[in-house]
Amino acid sequence: MPEVPALPGSLTEPEGRRSGLSETVALVFADGGALSSALQGFEPREGQRRMAGALAETLSNNGTLLVEAGTGTGKTIAYLIPALLSGRRVLISTGTKTLQEQILSKDIPAVSAALGRPVRATVMKGRANYVCLHRLDTAKAGTFKTLADVAAYRIIATWAEDTETGDRAEIRELPDDTPVWSELTATTEQCLGSECPKYGDCFVTKMRQRAAESELVIVNHHLLCADGSVRQSGFAEVIPETEVLVVDEAHQLEDVATQYFGFGVTHERFDSIARDAERAAAVPGADADQLAALARDCERLRDASRAFFTSLHGAAFRLGAPGSSERVRFNDEHAAAIADDVVALKAALEALEGTIALAKDASEELLAIGRRADHARGDTALLTHADDPSFVFFVEMRGRHAALRAAPIDVSTIVRTLLLERAQARVLTSATLAVEGKFDYVRGRLGIQEAEELLLPSEFDYRDQAIIYLPRRMPDPRSPEYGDQAAREMFALMRRTQGRAFLLFTSYAAMRNAYTLISPHAEWPLLMQGDAPRSALLESFRQTPHAVLFATASFWQGVDVPGDALSCVVIDKLPFASPGDPITAARLDAITAAGGSPFDDYQVPLATLTLLQGMGRLIRSRQDRGVLAILDPRLRTKGYGRRFLASFPPAPITHDLALVERFLAA
């Protein structure tokens, strides 16, 4: 690993000089210091100074620090400067690719100016973001069935001739939902590694080389988890060794780890194996008999896969937590048919493996596909046996497509041992990390035992910039009339803000119902999630005066709309995780089995953090003003409502729309 030059106060210096880091950091953030001198319009922020100072101490002591840094703190600069001044290699993990790019393009230039030196930084993304030159070479325009797909293929092929990074984010004109891109990237299973004829030119290889030469590596939580998984196998690493880990948007880490360290099988997975096998075998001079045998195997695999996933439709399937009384497997109606389909599917995979193994002069790519078939057969066996009590097994339906999945019930040990303990010093931060002023919930969920804690309020003046509206009379959220009354309240608020609103819902059904009721009477442009890609919707909202956006979960966080375009955020219900969700249900069972209270220990804290993320969309700068409205009456009528209110920003609360109107007019 290349040496990173030691800097003043660096932790690469002798032990006796390490205490200088705190003093050096304090000087950078001081009035008249390097930051204020280098950055035009820089405003000293007490919270930012405190956070930077706490980081310096944590880096000096090789400890763990939890920081809730309210909006406006400037937390990115607060962790970048101490981390870089430490002289150690730093890994930053963010919640989104958008935040990765923001750190690289906006924050690092500012830090570089303040430190008076260049910062060697690299953004690393997952494989799916980079075109695979080998798959691009072997693909043909005739592979794709529609004119739109052929056009997308040609856009990618032309761009690939000139790009230096191979990163899809460079292609602005490529539709978000084009299926062509996935055909031209390589998953970990599909990658041939050093055996690939394009290995020397590979964009993923070059990205890793740049990262190995950088002092600062910026990843997202998905790639952090991918690296943890690979390191667990003991074979390799995705991210180079680093000494300091900063987890930004740390409130998302449990969800991402749950997704990543689970596994599943889909028809698309098996179809991809068959499609790749046919493509890899169809080379000049291929043996005709072998090609025919392979084609039969591939069609047999597709048929078996279709039968298996069709039989999963309507199949109740769940394995509960240890000690749970509810340990459902496939219901009796489906069990026999599914068992037969599993046998057929595994036999089809085994036949494909056998044909590939016997093929004369089989390419490395074809042999790798045989290994993929073997792994898929193993996963199918694990999923259908469903005998690991640390996982919840379930059938997932997305539209008309079924998938069989498993997810870890508790990821705390995984997060601690595979992700956090990879570094000597660790910092986890977010605008929403504490519940009722305590970090107990996030500590438990992420397996954090010993840590320093810092709770920094927002730098914004919520008492002057915002008002919280809780309607005085609302029906029970479970009642049939709730949706109609919620739509009336939303419409009344929009009349007072002249649109300029986010309407955030806990379900698609509630969102569509409100849109149906409001749209005939609205005087403002209405946008709804699902009508266009997320990025396009946000751009339309920013550019369209008085627009209103109807949205669900994915818009509750990571959305930044400062200024007059957004003056009202309305949340229809408290965002409790559905107990009908198999992962949630298994976690509730596990808490009960351990003697805890599922509602108090899990449901309320998780809903609180989600609610605060939604509320955080409103005030994004010192100039913003607006209304936060939560329509759910349980904030006032239930005892646990006080727990939510205790975590709210310090804005005045009203039940009177007339006061909302006067606030907006002030």
Side-chain angles (χ1 to χ4, degrees), residues 494-531:
M494 285 189 292
R495 289 179 58 192
R496 287 159 174 81
T497 60
Q498 291 299 295
R500 302 185 299 157
F502 271 10
L503 308 182
L504 301 180
F505 299 86
T506 54
S507 73
Y508 283 96
M511 177 185 73
R512 287 190 285 265
N513 179 65
Y515 185 89
T516 300
L517 294 170
I518 291 171
S519 57
H521 312 288
E523 305 164 18
W524 324 279
L526 304 185
L527 307 169
M528 185 164 67
Q529 182 178 342
D531 289 347

mmCIF file of all heavy atoms in Angstrom, residues 494-531:
data_model
loop_
_atom_site.group_PDB
_atom_site.id
_atom_site.type_symbol
_atom_site.label_atom_id
_atom_site.label_comp_id
_atom_site.label_asym_id
_atom_site.label_seq_id
_atom_site.Cartn_x
_atom_site.Cartn_y
_atom_site.Cartn_z
ATOM 1 N N MET A 494 -52.423 22.909 1.020
ATOM 2 C CA MET A 494 -51.885 23.347 -0.270
ATOM 3 C C MET A 494 -52.481 24.680 -0.716
ATOM 4 O O MET A 494 -51.812 25.480 -1.369
ATOM 5 C CB MET A 494 -52.123 22.270 -1.326
ATOM 6 C CG MET A 494 -51.195 21.072 -1.186
ATOM 7 S SD MET A 494 -51.331 19.940 -2.581
ATOM 8 C CE MET A 494 -52.974 19.299 -2.328
ATOM 9 N N ARG A 495 -53.739 24.920 -0.376
ATOM 10 C CA ARG A 495 -54.341 26.214 -0.711
ATOM 11 C C ARG A 495 -53.597 27.342 -0.013
ATOM 12 O O ARG A 495 -53.432 28.426 -0.568
ATOM 13 C CB ARG A 495 -55.819 26.228 -0.318
ATOM 14 C CG ARG A 495 -56.698 25.354 -1.213
ATOM 15 C CD ARG A 495 -58.138 25.398 -0.767
ATOM 16 N NE ARG A 495 -58.662 26.760 -0.767
ATOM 17 C CZ ARG A 495 -59.818 27.118 -0.199
ATOM 18 N NH1 ARG A 495 -60.555 26.207 0.414
ATOM 19 N NH2 ARG A 495 -60.236 28.358 -0.248
ATOM 20 N N ARG A 496 -53.130 27.065 1.194
ATOM 21 C CA ARG A 496 -52.431 28.114 1.959
ATOM 22 C C ARG A 496 -50.974 28.281 1.517
ATOM 23 O O ARG A 496 -50.404 29.353 1.676
ATOM 24 C CB ARG A 496 -52.524 27.802 3.452
ATOM 25 C CG ARG A 496 -53.936 28.071 3.984
ATOM 26 C CD ARG A 496 -54.249 27.338 5.270
ATOM 27 N NE ARG A 496 -55.559 27.743 5.794
ATOM 28 C CZ ARG A 496 -56.714 27.245 5.351
ATOM 29 N NH1 ARG A 496 -56.732 26.336 4.380
ATOM 30 N NH2 ARG A 496 -57.862 27.666 5.869
ATOM 31 N N THR A 497 -50.371 27.211 1.011
ATOM 32 C CA THR A 497 -48.977 27.315 0.547
ATOM 33 C C THR A 497 -48.894 27.512 -0.967
ATOM 34 O O THR A 497 -47.786 27.635 -1.497
ATOM 35 C CB THR A 497 -48.189 26.045 0.921
ATOM 36 O OG1 THR A 497 -48.803 24.907 0.291
ATOM 37 C CG2 THR A 497 -48.150 25.839 2.423
ATOM 38 N N GLN A 498 -50.066 27.536 -1.654
ATOM 39 C CA GLN A 498 -50.090 27.638 -3.115
ATOM 40 C C GLN A 498 -49.248 26.527 -3.753
ATOM 41 O O GLN A 498 -48.343 26.757 -4.541
ATOM 42 C CB GLN A 498 -49.601 29.016 -3.565
ATOM 43 C CG GLN A 498 -50.555 30.151 -3.228
ATOM 44 C CD GLN A 498 -51.919 29.959 -3.914
ATOM 45 O OE1 GLN A 498 -52.021 29.991 -5.140
ATOM 46 N NE2 GLN A 498 -52.958 29.737 -3.121
ATOM 47 N N GLY A 499 -49.592 25.302 -3.376
ATOM 48 C CA GLY A 499 -48.824 24.156 -3.844
ATOM 49 C C GLY A 499 -47.503 24.086 -3.106
ATOM 50 O O GLY A 499 -47.460 24.114 -1.882
ATOM 51 N N ARG A 500 -46.390 23.934 -3.835
ATOM 52 C CA ARG A 500 -45.037 23.918 -3.264
ATOM 53 C C ARG A 500 -44.914 22.905 -2.125
ATOM 54 O O ARG A 500 -44.394 23.197 -1.059
ATOM 55 C CB ARG A 500 -44.649 25.309 -2.777
ATOM 56 C CG ARG A 500 -44.690 26.380 -3.866
ATOM 57 C CD ARG A 500 -44.190 27.722 -3.374
ATOM 58 N NE ARG A 500 -44.999 28.229 -2.272
ATOM 59 C CZ ARG A 500 -44.568 29.117 -1.387
ATOM 60 N NH1 ARG A 500 -43.324 29.558 -1.445
ATOM 61 N NH2 ARG A 500 -45.369 29.545 -0.428
ATOM 62 N N ALA A 501 -45.417 21.693 -2.364
ATOM 63 C CA ALA A 501 -45.543 20.732 -1.265
ATOM 64 C C ALA A 501 -45.067 19.344 -1.657
ATOM 65 O O ALA A 501 -45.174 18.929 -2.812
ATOM 66 C CB ALA A 501 -46.998 20.657 -0.802
ATOM 67 N N PHE A 502 -44.519 18.641 -0.663
ATOM 68 C CA PHE A 502 -44.311 17.193 -0.710
ATOM 69 C C PHE A 502 -45.435 16.556 0.097
ATOM 70 O O PHE A 502 -45.612 16.890 1.279
ATOM 71 C CB PHE A 502 -42.985 16.814 -0.055
ATOM 72 C CG PHE A 502 -41.796 16.818 -0.968
ATOM 73 C CD1 PHE A 502 -41.854 17.341 -2.244
ATOM 74 C CD2 PHE A 502 -40.583 16.288 -0.537
ATOM 75 C CE1 PHE A 502 -40.749 17.354 -3.071
ATOM 76 C CE2 PHE A 502 -39.466 16.296 -1.352
ATOM 77 C CZ PHE A 502 -39.542 16.827 -2.619
ATOM 78 N N LEU A 503 -46.161 15.636 -0.499
ATOM 79 C CA LEU A 503 -47.146 14.843 0.232
ATOM 80 C C LEU A 503 -46.577 13.430 0.333
ATOM 81 O O LEU A 503 -46.462 12.724 -0.674
ATOM 82 C CB LEU A 503 -48.488 14.840 -0.507
ATOM 83 C CG LEU A 503 -49.057 16.211 -0.894
ATOM 84 C CD1 LEU A 503 -50.412 16.056 -1.572
ATOM 85 C CD2 LEU A 503 -49.162 17.129 0.316
ATOM 86 N N LEU A 504 -46.180 13.038 1.542
ATOM 87 C CA LEU A 504 -45.476 11.771 1.753
ATOM 88 C C LEU A 504 -46.417 10.750 2.387
ATOM 89 O O LEU A 504 -47.051 11.030 3.413
ATOM 90 C CB LEU A 504 -44.250 11.995 2.645
ATOM 91 C CG LEU A 504 -43.220 12.993 2.107
ATOM 92 C CD1 LEU A 504 -42.056 13.127 3.086
ATOM 93 C CD2 LEU A 504 -42.710 12.583 0.727
ATOM 94 N N PHE A 505 -46.475 9.571 1.790
ATOM 95 C CA PHE A 505 -47.429 8.539 2.200
ATOM 96 C C PHE A 505 -46.693 7.275 2.649
ATOM 97 O O PHE A 505 -45.571 6.997 2.219
ATOM 98 C CB PHE A 505 -48.365 8.197 1.036
ATOM 99 C CG PHE A 505 -49.195 9.354 0.564
ATOM 100 C CD1 PHE A 505 -48.684 10.242 -0.382
ATOM 101 C CD2 PHE A 505 -50.460 9.579 1.063
ATOM 102 C CE1 PHE A 505 -49.433 11.319 -0.820
ATOM 103 C CE2 PHE A 505 -51.216 10.658 0.637
ATOM 104 C CZ PHE A 505 -50.699 11.537 -0.312
ATOM 105 N N THR A 506 -47.365 6.505 3.491
ATOM 106 C CA THR A 506 -46.796 5.244 3.969
ATOM 107 C C THR A 506 -47.189 4.060 3.095
ATOM 108 O O THR A 506 -46.751 2.942 3.348
ATOM 109 C CB THR A 506 -47.232 4.976 5.419
ATOM 110 O OG1 THR A 506 -48.662 5.043 5.496
ATOM 111 C CG2 THR A 506 -46.632 6.012 6.364
ATOM 112 N N SER A 507 -48.020 4.293 2.073
ATOM 113 C CA SER A 507 -48.386 3.207 1.153
ATOM 114 C C SER A 507 -48.747 3.793 -0.209
ATOM 115 O O SER A 507 -49.182 4.945 -0.321
ATOM 116 C CB SER A 507 -49.579 2.402 1.686
ATOM 117 O OG SER A 507 -50.775 3.155 1.576
ATOM 118 N N TYR A 508 -48.556 2.961 -1.240
ATOM 119 C CA TYR A 508 -48.934 3.375 -2.590
ATOM 120 C C TYR A 508 -50.442 3.562 -2.698
ATOM 121 O O TYR A 508 -50.918 4.465 -3.398
ATOM 122 C CB TYR A 508 -48.467 2.327 -3.610
ATOM 123 C CG TYR A 508 -47.000 2.387 -3.908
ATOM 124 C CD1 TYR A 508 -46.106 1.544 -3.240
ATOM 125 C CD2 TYR A 508 -46.483 3.269 -4.847
ATOM 126 C CE1 TYR A 508 -44.739 1.585 -3.507
ATOM 127 C CE2 TYR A 508 -45.125 3.317 -5.122
ATOM 128 C CZ TYR A 508 -44.262 2.478 -4.452
ATOM 129 O OH TYR A 508 -42.914 2.521 -4.710
ATOM 130 N N ALA A 509 -51.210 2.699 -2.029
ATOM 131 C CA ALA A 509 -52.667 2.794 -2.107
ATOM 132 C C ALA A 509 -53.150 4.139 -1.568
ATOM 133 O O ALA A 509 -54.007 4.796 -2.173
ATOM 134 C CB ALA A 509 -53.311 1.642 -1.336
ATOM 135 N N ALA A 510 -52.592 4.568 -0.420
ATOM 136 C CA ALA A 510 -52.980 5.857 0.150
ATOM 137 C C ALA A 510 -52.574 7.002 -0.773
ATOM 138 O O ALA A 510 -53.319 7.985 -0.939
ATOM 139 C CB ALA A 510 -52.339 6.033 1.521
ATOM 140 N N MET A 511 -51.403 6.894 -1.386
ATOM 141 C CA MET A 511 -50.947 7.935 -2.313
ATOM 142 C C MET A 511 -51.893 8.052 -3.505
ATOM 143 O O MET A 511 -52.320 9.164 -3.871
ATOM 144 C CB MET A 511 -49.536 7.616 -2.794
ATOM 145 C CG MET A 511 -48.987 8.595 -3.823
ATOM 146 S SD MET A 511 -47.359 8.105 -4.490
ATOM 147 C CE MET A 511 -47.846 6.731 -5.557
ATOM 148 N N ARG A 512 -52.236 6.936 -4.105
ATOM 149 C CA ARG A 512 -53.106 6.973 -5.284
ATOM 150 C C ARG A 512 -54.502 7.468 -4.929
ATOM 151 O O ARG A 512 -55.140 8.198 -5.707
ATOM 152 C CB ARG A 512 -53.154 5.585 -5.928
ATOM 153 C CG ARG A 512 -51.858 5.217 -6.654
ATOM 154 C CD ARG A 512 -52.027 3.952 -7.472
ATOM 155 N NE ARG A 512 -52.043 2.765 -6.622
ATOM 156 C CZ ARG A 512 -50.992 2.011 -6.356
ATOM 157 N NH1 ARG A 512 -49.813 2.330 -6.875
ATOM 158 N NH2 ARG A 512 -51.085 0.945 -5.587
ATOM 159 N N ASN A 513 -55.000 7.078 -3.757
ATOM 160 C CA ASN A 513 -56.324 7.539 -3.328
ATOM 161 C C ASN A 513 -56.335 9.060 -3.166
ATOM 162 O O ASN A 513 -57.257 9.743 -3.636
ATOM 163 C CB ASN A 513 -56.700 6.870 -2.009
ATOM 164 C CG ASN A 513 -58.053 7.332 -1.499
ATOM 165 O OD1 ASN A 513 -59.084 7.095 -2.114
ATOM 166 N ND2 ASN A 513 -58.057 8.013 -0.355
ATOM 167 N N ALA A 514 -55.306 9.605 -2.513
ATOM 168 C CA ALA A 514 -55.242 11.057 -2.318
ATOM 169 C C ALA A 514 -55.120 11.781 -3.655
ATOM 170 O O ALA A 514 -55.756 12.828 -3.866
ATOM 171 C CB ALA A 514 -54.065 11.402 -1.412
ATOM 172 N N TYR A 515 -54.326 11.240 -4.560
ATOM 173 C CA TYR A 515 -54.174 11.872 -5.874
ATOM 174 C C TYR A 515 -55.511 11.906 -6.608
ATOM 175 O O TYR A 515 -55.886 12.927 -7.212
ATOM 176 C CB TYR A 515 -53.138 11.103 -6.693
ATOM 177 C CG TYR A 515 -52.818 11.748 -8.026
ATOM 178 C CD1 TYR A 515 -51.813 12.698 -8.128
ATOM 179 C CD2 TYR A 515 -53.525 11.398 -9.183
ATOM 180 C CE1 TYR A 515 -51.511 13.294 -9.347
ATOM 181 C CE2 TYR A 515 -53.246 11.984 -10.400
ATOM 182 C CZ TYR A 515 -52.233 12.937 -10.479
ATOM 183 O OH TYR A 515 -51.952 13.528 -11.684
ATOM 184 N N THR A 516 -56.236 10.800 -6.542
ATOM 185 C CA THR A 516 -57.546 10.731 -7.206
ATOM 186 C C THR A 516 -58.505 11.774 -6.647
ATOM 187 O O THR A 516 -59.266 12.411 -7.399
ATOM 188 C CB THR A 516 -58.144 9.324 -7.048
ATOM 189 O OG1 THR A 516 -57.263 8.367 -7.639
ATOM 190 C CG2 THR A 516 -59.503 9.220 -7.702
ATOM 191 N N LEU A 517 -58.491 11.987 -5.335
ATOM 192 C CA LEU A 517 -59.409 12.927 -4.701
ATOM 193 C C LEU A 517 -59.003 14.389 -4.924
ATOM 194 O O LEU A 517 -59.858 15.264 -5.059
ATOM 195 C CB LEU A 517 -59.488 12.645 -3.194
ATOM 196 C CG LEU A 517 -60.116 11.305 -2.797
ATOM 197 C CD1 LEU A 517 -59.917 11.046 -1.310
ATOM 198 C CD2 LEU A 517 -61.606 11.289 -3.153
ATOM 199 N N ILE A 518 -57.702 14.644 -4.958
ATOM 200 C CA ILE A 518 -57.214 16.025 -5.026
ATOM 201 C C ILE A 518 -57.106 16.542 -6.456
ATOM 202 O O ILE A 518 -57.404 17.717 -6.730
ATOM 203 C CB ILE A 518 -55.846 16.135 -4.310
ATOM 204 C CG1 ILE A 518 -56.029 15.941 -2.803
ATOM 205 C CG2 ILE A 518 -55.167 17.464 -4.591
ATOM 206 C CD1 ILE A 518 -54.722 15.816 -2.029
ATOM 207 N N SER A 519 -56.700 15.683 -7.387
ATOM 208 C CA SER A 519 -56.367 16.153 -8.736
ATOM 209 C C SER A 519 -57.498 16.897 -9.454
ATOM 210 O O SER A 519 -57.216 17.879 -10.156
ATOM 211 C CB SER A 519 -55.857 14.991 -9.586
ATOM 212 O OG SER A 519 -56.789 13.941 -9.641
ATOM 213 N N PRO A 520 -58.787 16.511 -9.312
ATOM 214 C CA PRO A 520 -59.821 17.265 -10.045
ATOM 215 C C PRO A 520 -59.965 18.711 -9.568
ATOM 216 O O PRO A 520 -60.513 19.548 -10.300
ATOM 217 C CB PRO A 520 -61.099 16.462 -9.757
ATOM 218 C CG PRO A 520 -60.645 15.110 -9.348
ATOM 219 C CD PRO A 520 -59.357 15.343 -8.618
ATOM 220 N N HIS A 521 -59.499 19.020 -8.372
ATOM 221 C CA HIS A 521 -59.720 20.347 -7.797
ATOM 222 C C HIS A 521 -58.440 21.177 -7.698
ATOM 223 O O HIS A 521 -58.492 22.350 -7.323
ATOM 224 C CB HIS A 521 -60.317 20.198 -6.393
ATOM 225 C CG HIS A 521 -61.472 19.247 -6.333
ATOM 226 N ND1 HIS A 521 -62.707 19.535 -6.855
ATOM 227 C CD2 HIS A 521 -61.555 17.972 -5.833
ATOM 228 C CE1 HIS A 521 -63.529 18.497 -6.674
ATOM 229 N NE2 HIS A 521 -62.845 17.538 -6.060
ATOM 230 N N ALA A 522 -57.296 20.579 -8.007
ATOM 231 C CA ALA A 522 -56.021 21.256 -7.781
ATOM 232 C C ALA A 522 -55.785 22.353 -8.815
ATOM 233 O O ALA A 522 -56.065 22.180 -10.004
ATOM 234 C CB ALA A 522 -54.882 20.248 -7.821
ATOM 235 N N GLU A 523 -55.246 23.460 -8.340
ATOM 236 C CA GLU A 523 -54.889 24.576 -9.221
ATOM 237 C C GLU A 523 -53.392 24.584 -9.510
ATOM 238 O O GLU A 523 -52.885 25.527 -10.131
ATOM 239 C CB GLU A 523 -55.284 25.898 -8.552
ATOM 240 C CG GLU A 523 -56.741 25.964 -8.136
ATOM 241 C CD GLU A 523 -56.999 27.097 -7.156
ATOM 242 O OE1 GLU A 523 -56.151 28.011 -7.072
ATOM 243 O OE2 GLU A 523 -58.041 27.056 -6.488
ATOM 244 N N TRP A 524 -52.669 23.538 -9.081
ATOM 245 C CA TRP A 524 -51.219 23.522 -9.173
ATOM 246 C C TRP A 524 -50.778 22.271 -9.935
ATOM 247 O O TRP A 524 -51.492 21.275 -9.963
ATOM 248 C CB TRP A 524 -50.601 23.512 -7.771
ATOM 249 C CG TRP A 524 -51.403 24.341 -6.809
ATOM 250 C CD1 TRP A 524 -51.356 25.692 -6.671
ATOM 251 C CD2 TRP A 524 -52.403 23.869 -5.896
ATOM 252 N NE1 TRP A 524 -52.256 26.104 -5.725
ATOM 253 C CE2 TRP A 524 -52.912 25.013 -5.226
ATOM 254 C CE3 TRP A 524 -52.917 22.623 -5.580
ATOM 255 C CZ2 TRP A 524 -53.910 24.931 -4.268
ATOM 256 C CZ3 TRP A 524 -53.904 22.526 -4.625
ATOM 257 C CH2 TRP A 524 -54.395 23.669 -3.974
ATOM 258 N N PRO A 525 -49.606 22.297 -10.521
ATOM 259 C CA PRO A 525 -49.100 21.101 -11.210
ATOM 260 C C PRO A 525 -48.874 19.957 -10.219
ATOM 261 O O PRO A 525 -48.240 20.157 -9.179
ATOM 262 C CB PRO A 525 -47.765 21.569 -11.815
ATOM 263 C CG PRO A 525 -47.816 23.056 -11.790
ATOM 264 C CD PRO A 525 -48.681 23.434 -10.629
ATOM 265 N N LEU A 526 -49.384 18.783 -10.551
ATOM 266 C CA LEU A 526 -49.251 17.619 -9.673
ATOM 267 C C LEU A 526 -48.305 16.594 -10.301
ATOM 268 O O LEU A 526 -48.414 16.275 -11.485
ATOM 269 C CB LEU A 526 -50.612 16.969 -9.420
ATOM 270 C CG LEU A 526 -51.717 17.851 -8.833
ATOM 271 C CD1 LEU A 526 -52.949 17.008 -8.537
ATOM 272 C CD2 LEU A 526 -51.247 18.565 -7.580
ATOM 273 N N LEU A 527 -47.399 16.077 -9.501
ATOM 274 C CA LEU A 527 -46.464 15.032 -9.916
ATOM 275 C C LEU A 527 -46.667 13.835 -8.994
ATOM 276 O O LEU A 527 -46.890 14.010 -7.796
ATOM 277 C CB LEU A 527 -45.018 15.521 -9.809
ATOM 278 C CG LEU A 527 -44.675 16.830 -10.523
ATOM 279 C CD1 LEU A 527 -43.294 17.322 -10.103
ATOM 280 C CD2 LEU A 527 -44.742 16.648 -12.034
ATOM 281 N N MET A 528 -46.571 12.628 -9.537
ATOM 282 C CA MET A 528 -46.763 11.445 -8.692
ATOM 283 C C MET A 528 -45.670 10.424 -8.949
ATOM 284 O O MET A 528 -45.301 10.151 -10.101
ATOM 285 C CB MET A 528 -48.135 10.818 -8.926
ATOM 286 C CG MET A 528 -48.419 9.649 -7.978
ATOM 287 S SD MET A 528 -50.157 9.156 -7.889
ATOM 288 C CE MET A 528 -50.408 8.522 -9.542
ATOM 289 N N GLN A 529 -45.155 9.877 -7.862
ATOM 290 C CA GLN A 529 -44.134 8.832 -7.955
ATOM 291 C C GLN A 529 -44.631 7.699 -8.844
ATOM 292 O O GLN A 529 -45.779 7.256 -8.728
ATOM 293 C CB GLN A 529 -43.815 8.309 -6.559
ATOM 294 C CG GLN A 529 -42.733 7.241 -6.520
ATOM 295 C CD GLN A 529 -42.416 6.803 -5.109
ATOM 296 O OE1 GLN A 529 -42.735 7.489 -4.153
ATOM 297 N NE2 GLN A 529 -41.780 5.650 -4.967
ATOM 298 N N GLY A 530 -43.761 7.230 -9.722
ATOM 299 C CA GLY A 530 -44.134 6.174 -10.655
ATOM 300 C C GLY A 530 -44.406 6.680 -12.050
ATOM 301 O O GLY A 530 -44.337 5.922 -13.024
ATOM 302 N N ASP A 531 -44.722 7.988 -12.182
ATOM 303 C CA ASP A 531 -45.000 8.545 -13.505
ATOM 304 C C ASP A 531 -43.718 8.824 -14.288
ATOM 305 O O ASP A 531 -43.756 8.999 -15.505
ATOM 306 C CB ASP A 531 -45.809 9.843 -13.376
ATOM 307 C CG ASP A 531 -47.246 9.583 -12.931
ATOM 308 O OD1 ASP A 531 -47.663 8.413 -12.959
ATOM 309 O OD2 ASP A 531 -47.938 10.545 -12.555
#
